[in-house]
Structures are given as structure tokens and as C-alpha cells.
Coordinates of all heavy atoms in Angstrom, one line a residue:
H1 N 58.1 80.0 61.5 CA 58.1 79.4 60.2 C 59.3 79.9 59.4 O 59.5 81.1 59.3 CB 56.8 79.9 59.5 CG 56.5 79.2 58.2 ND1 56.0 78.0 58.0 CD2 56.8 79.7 56.9 CE1 55.9 77.7 56.7 NE2 56.4 78.7 56.0
E2 N 60.0 79.0 58.8 CA 61.2 79.4 58.0 C 60.8 79.5 56.6 O 60.1 78.7 56.0 CB 62.3 78.3 58.2 CG 63.0 78.3 59.5 CD 64.1 77.3 59.6 OE1 64.8 77.2 58.5 OE2 64.4 76.7 60.6
L3 N 61.3 80.5 55.9 CA 61.1 80.7 54.5 C 61.9 79.8 53.7 O 61.4 79.2 52.7 CB 61.3 82.2 54.2 CG 61.1 82.6 52.7 CD1 59.6 82.3 52.3 CD2 61.4 84.1 52.5
Y4 N 63.2 79.6 54.0 CA 64.1 78.8 53.2 C 64.6 77.7 54.1 O 65.0 77.9 55.3 CB 65.3 79.6 52.7 CG 64.8 80.7 51.7 CD1 64.8 82.0 52.1 CD2 64.5 80.3 50.4 CE1 64.4 83.0 51.2 CE2 64.1 81.3 49.5 CZ 64.0 82.6 49.9 OH 63.7 83.6 49.1
L5 N 64.7 76.5 53.6 CA 65.4 75.4 54.3 C 66.7 75.2 53.7 O 66.9 75.2 52.4 CB 64.5 74.1 54.1 CG 63.1 74.2 54.7 CD1 62.4 72.9 54.4 CD2 63.1 74.5 56.2
R6 N 67.7 74.9 54.5 CA 69.1 74.7 54.0 C 69.4 73.2 54.2 O 69.0 72.6 55.2 CB 70.1 75.6 54.6 CG 70.3 75.5 56.0 CD 71.4 76.4 56.5 NE 71.7 76.1 57.9 CZ 71.2 76.8 58.9 NH1 70.4 77.8 58.7 NH2 71.5 76.4 60.1
P7 N 70.1 72.6 53.3 CA 70.5 71.2 53.5 C 71.5 71.0 54.7 O 72.2 71.9 55.0 CB 71.1 70.8 52.2 CG 71.6 72.1 51.6 CD 70.7 73.1 52.1
E8 N 71.4 69.8 55.3 CA 72.4 69.6 56.4 C 73.8 69.4 55.9 O 74.7 69.6 56.6 CB 71.9 68.3 57.1 CG 70.6 68.5 57.9 CD 70.2 67.3 58.6 OE1 71.0 66.4 58.8 OE2 69.0 67.3 59.0
S9 N 73.9 68.9 54.7 CA 75.3 68.7 54.1 C 75.2 69.1 52.6 O 74.2 69.1 52.0 CB 75.7 67.3 54.2 OG 74.9 66.4 53.5
V10 N 76.4 69.5 52.1 CA 76.5 69.9 50.7 C 77.7 69.2 50.1 O 78.7 69.0 50.7 CB 76.7 71.4 50.6 CG1 77.0 71.8 49.1 CG2 75.6 72.2 51.2
R11 N 77.5 68.6 48.9 CA 78.5 67.9 48.2 C 78.9 68.8 47.0 O 78.0 69.2 46.2 CB 78.1 66.6 47.7 CG 79.2 65.8 47.1 CD 78.7 64.4 46.7 NE 78.9 64.2 45.3 CZ 78.5 63.1 44.7 NH1 78.0 62.1 45.3 NH2 78.8 63.0 43.4
V12 N 80.2 69.0 46.8 CA 80.7 69.8 45.7 C 81.5 68.9 44.7 O 82.4 68.2 45.1 CB 81.6 71.0 46.1 CG1 82.1 71.8 45.0 CG2 80.8 71.9 47.1
D13 N 81.1 68.9 43.4 CA 81.8 68.2 42.4 C 82.4 69.2 41.4 O 81.8 70.3 41.3 CB 80.8 67.2 41.6 CG 80.3 66.1 42.5 OD1 80.9 65.8 43.6 OD2 79.3 65.5 42.1
L14 N 83.4 68.8 40.7 CA 84.1 69.7 39.8 C 84.4 68.9 38.5 O 84.8 67.7 38.6 CB 85.4 70.2 40.4 CG 86.2 71.1 39.4 CD1 85.5 72.4 39.2 CD2 87.6 71.3 40.1
R15 N 84.1 69.5 37.4 CA 84.4 68.8 36.1 C 85.1 69.8 35.2 O 84.6 70.9 35.0 CB 83.1 68.4 35.5 CG 83.3 67.7 34.1 CD 82.0 67.1 33.5 NE 81.6 66.1 34.4 CZ 80.3 65.7 34.5 NH1 79.4 66.4 33.9 NH2 79.9 64.8 35.3
L16 N 86.3 69.4 34.7 CA 87.1 70.2 33.8 C 87.2 69.4 32.5 O 87.5 68.2 32.5 CB 88.4 70.5 34.4 CG 88.5 71.3 35.7 CD1 89.9 71.3 36.2 CD2 88.0 72.7 35.5
G17 N 87.1 70.1 31.4 CA 87.3 69.4 30.1 C 88.1 70.3 29.1 O 88.2 71.5 29.2
Y18 N 88.8 69.6 28.2 CA 89.6 70.2 27.2 C 89.5 69.5 25.9 O 89.5 68.2 25.9 CB 91.1 70.2 27.7 CG 92.0 71.0 26.7 CD1 92.0 72.4 26.6 CD2 92.9 70.3 26.0 CE1 92.8 73.0 25.8 CE2 93.7 70.9 25.1 CZ 93.7 72.3 25.0 OH 94.5 73.0 24.1
R19 N 89.4 70.2 24.8 CA 89.2 69.6 23.5 C 90.3 70.2 22.6 O 90.4 71.4 22.6 CB 87.8 69.8 23.0 CG 87.6 69.3 21.6 CD 86.2 69.5 21.1 NE 85.3 68.7 21.9 CZ 84.0 68.9 22.1 NH1 83.5 69.9 21.5 NH2 83.3 68.1 22.8
V20 N 91.0 69.4 21.8 CA 92.0 69.9 20.9 C 91.8 69.1 19.6 O 91.6 67.9 19.6 CB 93.4 69.8 21.5 CG1 93.8 68.3 21.7 CG2 94.4 70.4 20.5
K21 N 92.0 69.8 18.5 CA 91.9 69.2 17.2 C 93.3 69.1 16.6 O 94.0 70.1 16.6 CB 91.0 70.0 16.2 CG 89.5 69.9 16.5 CD 88.7 70.5 15.5 CE 87.9 69.5 14.8 NZ 87.0 69.9 13.8
V22 N 93.7 68.0 16.1 CA 95.0 67.8 15.5 C 94.7 67.2 14.1 O 94.2 66.0 14.0 CB 95.9 66.8 16.3 CG1 97.2 66.6 15.6 CG2 96.1 67.3 17.7
K23 N 94.9 68.0 13.1 CA 94.5 67.6 11.7 C 93.0 67.3 11.7 O 92.2 68.1 12.0 CB 95.3 66.5 11.2 CG 96.8 66.9 11.0 CD 97.6 65.8 10.4 CE 99.1 66.3 10.3 NZ 99.9 65.3 9.7
R24 N 92.6 66.1 11.4 CA 91.2 65.7 11.4 C 90.7 64.9 12.6 O 89.6 64.5 12.7 CB 90.9 64.8 10.1 CG 90.9 65.7 8.8 CD 90.2 64.9 7.7 NE 91.3 64.3 6.9 CZ 91.0 63.4 5.9 NH1 89.8 63.1 5.7 NH2 92.0 62.9 5.3
N25 N 91.6 64.8 13.6 CA 91.3 64.1 14.8 C 91.0 65.1 15.9 O 91.6 66.1 16.0 CB 92.5 63.2 15.2 CG 92.9 62.2 14.1 OD1 92.0 61.7 13.4 ND2 94.2 62.0 14.0
T26 N 90.1 64.7 16.8 CA 89.7 65.5 18.0 C 90.0 64.7 19.2 O 89.4 63.6 19.4 CB 88.2 65.9 17.9 OG1 88.0 66.6 16.7 CG2 87.8 66.7 19.1
W27 N 90.8 65.2 20.1 CA 91.0 64.6 21.4 C 90.2 65.3 22.5 O 90.2 66.6 22.5 CB 92.5 64.8 21.8 CG 93.5 63.9 21.1 CD1 94.1 64.1 19.9 CD2 93.8 62.5 21.5 NE1 94.9 63.0 19.6 CE2 94.7 62.1 20.5 CE3 93.5 61.7 22.5 CZ2 95.3 60.8 20.6 CZ3 94.1 60.5 22.6 CH2 95.0 60.0 21.7
N28 N 89.6 64.6 23.3 CA 88.8 65.1 24.5 C 89.5 64.6 25.7 O 89.8 63.4 25.8 CB 87.4 64.7 24.4 CG 86.6 65.3 23.3 OD1 86.7 66.5 23.1 ND2 85.9 64.5 22.5
L29 N 89.7 65.5 26.7 CA 90.2 65.1 28.0 C 89.3 65.7 29.0 O 88.9 66.9 29.0 CB 91.6 65.7 28.1 CG 92.4 65.4 29.4 CD1 92.7 64.0 29.5 CD2 93.6 66.3 29.4
Q30 N 88.9 64.9 30.0 CA 88.0 65.3 31.1 C 88.5 64.8 32.4 O 88.8 63.7 32.6 CB 86.6 64.8 30.8 CG 85.6 65.3 31.8 CD 84.2 64.9 31.4 OE1 83.8 65.1 30.3 NE2 83.5 64.4 32.3
L31 N 88.5 65.7 33.4 CA 88.9 65.4 34.8 C 87.6 65.7 35.7 O 87.1 66.8 35.6 CB 90.1 66.2 35.3 CG 90.4 66.0 36.7 CD1 90.9 64.5 37.0 CD2 91.5 66.9 37.2
T32 N 87.2 64.7 36.4 CA 86.1 64.9 37.3 C 86.5 64.6 38.7 O 87.2 63.6 39.0 CB 84.9 64.0 37.0 OG1 84.5 64.2 35.6 CG2 83.7 64.2 37.9
A33 N 86.2 65.6 39.7 CA 86.5 65.4 41.1 C 85.2 65.3 41.8 O 84.4 66.3 41.7 CB 87.4 66.5 41.6
Q34 N 84.9 64.2 42.5 CA 83.6 64.1 43.2 C 83.8 64.3 44.7 O 84.9 63.8 45.2 CB 83.0 62.7 42.9 CG 82.6 62.5 41.5 CD 82.2 61.1 41.2 OE1 82.6 60.1 41.9 NE2 81.3 60.9 40.2
N35 N 82.9 65.0 45.3 CA 83.0 65.3 46.8 C 84.4 66.0 47.0 O 85.2 65.6 47.8 CB 82.9 64.0 47.6 CG 82.5 64.4 49.0 OD1 82.4 65.5 49.4 ND2 82.5 63.4 49.9
L36 N 84.5 67.1 46.3 CA 85.8 67.9 46.3 C 86.3 68.2 47.7 O 87.5 68.1 48.0 CB 85.6 69.2 45.5 CG 86.8 69.9 45.1 CD1 87.8 69.1 44.3 CD2 86.5 71.2 44.4
F37 N 85.4 68.6 48.6 CA 85.9 69.0 49.9 C 85.9 67.8 50.9 O 86.2 68.0 52.1 CB 85.0 70.2 50.5 CG 85.1 71.4 49.6 CD1 84.0 71.9 49.1 CD2 86.3 72.0 49.3 CE1 84.0 73.1 48.3 CE2 86.4 73.1 48.5 CZ 85.3 73.6 48.0
D38 N 85.6 66.6 50.4 CA 85.6 65.4 51.2 C 84.8 65.5 52.5 O 85.3 65.1 53.6 CB 87.1 65.0 51.5 CG 87.2 63.5 51.8 OD1 86.2 62.7 51.5 OD2 88.1 63.1 52.5
T39 N 83.6 66.1 52.4 CA 82.8 66.1 53.6 C 81.9 64.8 53.6 O 81.2 64.5 52.6 CB 81.9 67.3 53.6 OG1 81.1 67.4 52.4 CG2 82.7 68.6 53.8
Q40 N 82.0 64.1 54.6 CA 81.2 62.8 54.7 C 80.5 62.9 56.1 O 81.0 62.5 57.1 CB 82.1 61.6 54.7 CG 82.9 61.5 53.4 CD 83.8 60.3 53.4 OE1 84.1 59.7 54.5 NE2 84.3 59.9 52.3
P41 N 79.2 63.3 56.0 CA 78.4 63.4 57.3 C 78.2 62.0 57.8 O 77.9 61.0 57.0 CB 77.1 64.0 56.9 CG 77.1 64.1 55.4 CD 78.5 63.8 54.9
V42 N 78.4 61.8 59.1 CA 78.3 60.5 59.7 C 77.0 60.5 60.5 O 76.7 61.4 61.3 CB 79.5 60.2 60.6 CG1 79.3 58.9 61.4 CG2 80.8 60.2 59.9
E43 N 76.1 59.6 60.2 CA 74.8 59.5 60.9 C 74.9 58.3 61.9 O 75.1 57.2 61.5 CB 73.7 59.2 59.8 CG 73.6 60.3 58.8 CD 72.8 59.9 57.6 OE1 72.3 58.8 57.5 OE2 72.7 60.8 56.7
K44 N 74.7 58.7 63.1 CA 74.8 57.7 64.2 C 73.4 57.3 64.7 O 72.5 58.2 64.9 CB 75.6 58.2 65.3 CG 77.0 58.6 64.9 CD 77.8 59.2 66.0 CE 79.1 59.7 65.5 NZ 79.8 60.5 66.5
T45 N 73.1 56.1 65.0 CA 71.9 55.6 65.5 C 72.2 55.0 66.9 O 73.0 54.2 67.0 CB 71.2 54.6 64.6 OG1 71.0 55.2 63.3 CG2 69.9 54.2 65.2
L46 N 71.5 55.6 67.9 CA 71.6 55.1 69.3 C 70.4 54.2 69.7 O 69.3 54.6 69.4 CB 71.8 56.2 70.2 CG 73.0 57.2 69.9 CD1 73.0 58.3 70.9 CD2 74.3 56.4 70.1
A47 N 70.7 53.2 70.4 CA 69.6 52.4 71.0 C 69.1 53.2 72.2 O 69.6 54.2 72.7 CB 70.2 51.1 71.5
S48 N 68.0 52.7 72.8 CA 67.3 53.4 73.9 C 68.3 53.4 75.1 O 68.1 54.2 76.0 CB 66.0 52.7 74.3 OG 66.2 51.3 74.6
T49 N 69.2 52.4 75.2 CA 70.2 52.4 76.3 C 71.3 53.4 76.1 O 72.2 53.5 77.0 CB 70.8 51.0 76.4 OG1 71.5 50.6 75.1 CG2 69.7 49.9 76.6
G50 N 71.4 54.0 74.9 CA 72.5 54.9 74.6 C 73.6 54.3 73.9 O 74.6 55.0 73.6
A51 N 73.5 53.0 73.6 CA 74.6 52.3 72.9 C 74.5 52.6 71.4 O 73.4 52.7 70.8 CB 74.5 50.8 73.1
L52 N 75.7 52.8 70.8 CA 75.8 53.0 69.4 C 75.4 51.7 68.6 O 76.1 50.7 68.8 CB 77.2 53.5 69.0 CG 77.4 53.9 67.6 CD1 76.6 55.1 67.2 CD2 78.9 54.3 67.4
T53 N 74.4 51.8 67.7 CA 74.0 50.6 67.0 C 74.3 50.6 65.5 O 74.7 49.6 65.0 CB 72.5 50.3 67.2 OG1 71.8 51.5 66.7 CG2 72.1 50.1 68.6
V54 N 74.2 51.8 64.9 CA 74.5 51.9 63.4 C 75.2 53.2 63.2 O 74.9 54.2 63.7 CB 73.1 51.9 62.6 CG1 73.4 52.0 61.2 CG2 72.3 50.6 62.9
V55 N 76.2 53.1 62.3 CA 76.9 54.2 61.8 C 76.8 54.2 60.3 O 77.2 53.3 59.6 CB 78.4 54.3 62.2 CG1 79.1 55.4 61.6 CG2 78.5 54.3 63.7
N56 N 76.3 55.3 59.7 CA 76.1 55.4 58.2 C 77.0 56.6 57.7 O 76.9 57.7 58.3 CB 74.7 55.7 57.9 CG 73.9 54.5 57.4 OD1 74.5 53.5 57.0 ND2 72.6 54.6 57.4
V57 N 77.7 56.4 56.6 CA 78.4 57.5 55.9 C 77.6 57.6 54.6 O 77.5 56.7 53.8 CB 79.9 57.1 55.7 CG1 80.5 58.3 54.9 CG2 80.6 56.9 57.0
S58 N 77.0 58.8 54.5 CA 76.0 59.0 53.4 C 76.6 59.5 52.1 O 75.8 59.7 51.2 CB 74.9 59.9 53.9 OG 75.4 61.2 54.2
Q59 N 77.9 59.8 52.0 CA 78.4 60.2 50.8 C 79.7 59.5 50.5 O 80.4 59.0 51.4 CB 78.7 61.7 50.8 CG 77.4 62.5 50.9 CD 77.6 64.0 50.5 OE1 78.5 64.3 49.8 NE2 76.7 64.8 50.9
I60 N 80.1 59.5 49.2 CA 81.3 58.8 48.8 C 82.5 59.6 49.2 O 82.4 60.9 49.4 CB 81.3 58.6 47.2 CG1 81.3 60.0 46.5 CG2 80.2 57.7 46.8 CD1 81.6 59.9 45.1
P61 N 83.7 59.0 49.4 CA 84.9 59.8 49.7 C 85.3 60.6 48.4 O 84.7 60.4 47.3 CB 85.9 58.7 50.0 CG 85.4 57.5 49.4 CD 83.9 57.6 49.4
R62 N 86.3 61.4 48.5 CA 86.8 62.2 47.4 C 87.3 61.2 46.3 O 88.0 60.3 46.6 CB 87.9 63.1 47.8 CG 88.4 64.0 46.6 CD 89.5 64.9 47.0 NE 89.2 65.7 48.2 CZ 89.9 65.8 49.2 NH1 91.1 65.2 49.3 NH2 89.6 66.6 50.3
T63 N 86.8 61.4 45.1 CA 87.1 60.5 44.0 C 87.5 61.3 42.8 O 86.9 62.3 42.5 CB 85.9 59.6 43.7 OG1 85.4 59.0 44.8 CG2 86.2 58.6 42.6
Y64 N 88.5 60.8 42.1 CA 89.0 61.5 40.8 C 88.8 60.5 39.7 O 89.0 59.3 39.8 CB 90.4 61.9 40.9 CG 90.8 62.9 42.0 CD1 91.3 62.4 43.2 CD2 90.5 64.2 41.8 CE1 91.6 63.3 44.2 CE2 90.8 65.1 42.8 CZ 91.4 64.7 44.0 OH 91.6 65.6 45.0
V65 N 88.3 61.1 38.5 CA 88.1 60.3 37.3 C 88.7 61.1 36.2 O 88.3 62.2 35.9 CB 86.6 60.0 37.0 CG1 86.4 59.2 35.7 CG2 86.0 59.2 38.2
L66 N 89.6 60.4 35.5 CA 90.3 61.0 34.3 C 89.8 60.2 33.1 O 90.0 59.0 33.1 CB 91.8 61.1 34.4 CG 92.5 61.6 33.2 CD1 92.2 63.1 33.0 CD2 94.0 61.4 33.4
S67 N 89.3 60.9 32.1 CA 88.9 60.1 30.9 C 89.4 60.9 29.6 O 89.5 62.1 29.6 CB 87.4 60.0 30.8 OG 86.7 61.2 30.8
T68 N 89.6 60.1 28.6 CA 90.1 60.7 27.3 C 89.3 60.0 26.2 O 88.8 58.8 26.3 CB 91.6 60.5 27.0 OG1 91.8 59.1 27.0 CG2 92.4 61.1 28.1
S69 N 89.1 60.7 25.1 CA 88.5 60.0 23.9 C 89.2 60.6 22.7 O 89.7 61.8 22.7 CB 87.0 60.2 23.9 OG 86.7 61.6 23.7
L70 N 89.1 59.9 21.6 CA 89.7 60.3 20.3 C 88.7 60.1 19.2 O 88.1 58.9 19.1 CB 91.0 59.5 20.0 CG 91.6 59.7 18.6 CD1 92.0 61.2 18.4 CD2 92.7 58.8 18.4
K71 N 88.3 61.1 18.5 CA 87.4 61.0 17.3 C 88.3 61.1 16.1 O 89.0 62.1 15.9 CB 86.3 62.0 17.3 CG 85.4 61.8 18.5 CD 84.3 62.9 18.4 CE 83.3 62.8 19.6 NZ 82.3 63.8 19.5
F72 N 88.2 60.1 15.2 CA 88.9 60.2 13.9 C 88.1 59.8 12.8 O 87.0 59.3 12.9 CB 90.2 59.3 14.0 CG 90.0 57.9 14.4 CD1 89.8 56.9 13.5 CD2 89.9 57.6 15.8 CE1 89.6 55.6 13.8 CE2 89.7 56.3 16.2 CZ 89.6 55.3 15.2

């Protein structure tokens, strides 16, 4: 009997943000990196004959999103 179960795969995301005020305006800048280490577990399904029938990639590839906003 295992006390703790660990996941078969781990996805790491990173989010950085910066806010600056210029006079009465506020600028927000945010950078998001999804699947930072680009681990994409591949799930293979074999038929009873041993032939490969289905290949699944269960996570997105590494993705970057940069966003900005201005409040005035």
C-alpha cells in the first residue's frame, strides 16, 4: 500500500507581472510561459497484434503569452 501517489507527468507554468504608474496612468505587463520544460508525454495504444493504433499527446507544447494593459 502506497501512502502517496505521484503523477506520471508534471506541467510547470510561469507567470511574471510588472506594474508601473506614470502620472495618473497605470501600465500592466504580464508574461506567461505554459509547459515551461516542454514535457509532452506520449500515450501509445497498441492493438492485440502489437500494431500501433493511436498516439496521444496529452499536453500543449511550450507556449508564451505577452499581454499589456493601460488604465487611465
Side-chain angles (χ1 to χ4, degrees):
H1 186 84
E2 288 186 35
L3 181 58
Y4 296 103
L5 300 175
R6 63 178 188 261
E8 292 180 15
S9 65
V10 175
R11 182 177 125 181
V12 177
D13 296 341
L14 176 69
R15 181 176 294 152
L16 300 172
Y18 183 72
R19 177 178 295 158
V20 62
K21 288 187 118 182
V22 179
K23 296 184 182 180
R24 286 196 263 174
N25 302 325
T26 302
W27 284 92
N28 292 309
L29 179 68
Q30 181 173 313
L31 174 66
T32 303
Q34 298 173 329
N35 199 2
L36 191 62
F37 300 124
D38 199 21
T39 54
Q40 297 177 348
V42 176
E43 300 165 1
K44 301 173 186 172
T45 304
L46 300 176
S48 59
T49 61
L52 183 62
T53 57
V54 178
V55 175
N56 259 345
V57 178
S58 61
Q59 294 201 22
I60 62 170
R62 184 180 305 128
T63 306
Y64 299 100
V65 178
L66 177 65
S67 61
T68 62
S69 67
L70 171 64
K71 292 182 182 181
F72 54 94

